[in-house]
Amino acid sequence: MEVVTRADRPELHEAAAVVFRERWPEFVFHDDVPKRYMGRVEEYFARYDIMVLDGGLVVAGGWGVPMAWDGSVDDLPSGYDDALIRAVDGREAGIEPTSLSFMAVAVGASHDRRGMAGVVLEELARRAWSDGLTHVVAPLRPTWKHRYPMVSMAEYAGWSRPDGLSIDPWIRTHQRMGPGCSVQLRGRW
């Protein structure tokens, strides 16, 4: 396995896009905020846009954005769009980032259940900490919430297995990263 950035290997951009499109619902690719900000994200934060290669093929990837956050719950961005805006606007205003917000991770179907999402998240976190960022946060879209449409997000987020971890696999992945990673569920941290 090899970890590279998209900036280092621009010829793999399309292969990485295929992996993301496999895993993300179509509506995600039509949101107005990312359309306005993604060009600048790619320019400003290339270090946090990574791909995992297996035999030279893209099997997983993810990206994050550094942003200023004072560490309090009240100062957390309201969600994905707000984190994206805060990162780009903060960079353009010369505001020093203190935290990394994970924005997306995808693993190709051929590499499911091999811990690749954790590899991506750990590499992004490692880069953040090596750059002096003190927190990692994650606006999450829980992967199993659709199975319980009549249950509120707050109730669902509180459901846990006997080991104390969430019933939701994506929330669990982040919980396993430890207390240095804060998890946000659909606009509420």
Side-chain angles (χ1 to χ4, degrees), residues 95-145:
I95 298 170
E96 193 69 29
T98 59
S99 306
L100 181 74
S101 178
F102 295 145
M103 299 303 285
V105 173
V107 176
S110 65
H111 281 68
D112 267 351
R113 303 191 191 287
R114 295 186 186 180
M116 298 306 299
V119 169
V120 171
L121 294 172
E122 288 171 11
E123 176 61 20
L124 289 171
R126 185 194 66 72
R127 288 168 184 250
W129 292 316
S130 73
D131 290 347
L133 303 178
T134 56
H135 303 282
V136 174
V137 296
L140 296 183
R141 221 177 100 252
T143 54
W144 285 359
K145 174 60 176 90

Side-chain angles (χ1 to χ4, degrees), residues 33 67-69 72-87 101 103 137-141 153 183-189:
V33 172
M67 63 178 197
W69 175 48
S72 71
V73 172
D74 289 341
D75 191 44
L76 282 166
S78 62
Y80 178 94
D81 286 353
D82 195 27
L84 190 63
I85 292 166
R86 184 183 297 196
S101 178
M103 299 303 285
V137 296
L140 296 183
R141 221 177 100 252
M153 182 61 77
V183 176
Q184 175 197 16
L185 302 173
R186 268 184 128 191
R188 300 185 66 126
W189 295 84

Side-chain angles (χ1 to χ4, degrees), residues 43-66:
E43 176 186 344
Y44 300 158
F45 310 126
R47 174 168 167 67
Y48 298 107
D49 186 355
I50 65 168
M51 298 177 291
V52 179
L53 308 180
D54 185 7
L57 300 174
V58 178
V59 297
W63 61 280
V65 293

Side-chain angles (χ1 to χ4, degrees), residues 6-69:
R6 284 198 216 197
D8 295 335
R9 299 288 305 273
E11 76 278 10
L12 296 174
H13 181 76
E14 289 304 316
V18 168
V19 171
F20 273 93
R21 286 205 177 268
E22 263 182 31
R23 296 302 187 173
W24 286 73
E26 186 62 29
F27 76 87
V28 169
F29 301 104
H30 302 284
D31 186 344
D32 287 336
V33 172
K35 283 180 187 177
R36 290 194 326 260
Y37 283 83
M38 287 309 297
R40 290 179 282 171
V41 166
E42 290 168 6
E43 176 186 344
Y44 300 158
F45 310 126
R47 174 168 167 67
Y48 298 107
D49 186 355
I50 65 168
M51 298 177 291
V52 179
L53 308 180
D54 185 7
L57 300 174
V58 178
V59 297
W63 61 280
V65 293
M67 63 178 197
W69 175 48

Side-chain angles (χ1 to χ4, degrees), residues 102 113-119 121-122 125 129 136 138 140 143-144 160-183:
F102 295 145
R113 303 191 191 287
R114 295 186 186 180
M116 298 306 299
V119 169
L121 294 172
E122 288 171 11
W129 292 316
V136 174
L140 296 183
T143 54
W144 285 359
S160 61
R161 304 180 323 176
D163 64 2
L165 295 175
S166 174
I167 65 157
D168 188 90
W170 194 225
I171 296 173
R172 264 195 321 274
T173 296
H174 289 78
Q175 286 174 320
R176 288 183 178 123
M177 293 191 71
C181 180
S182 300
V183 176

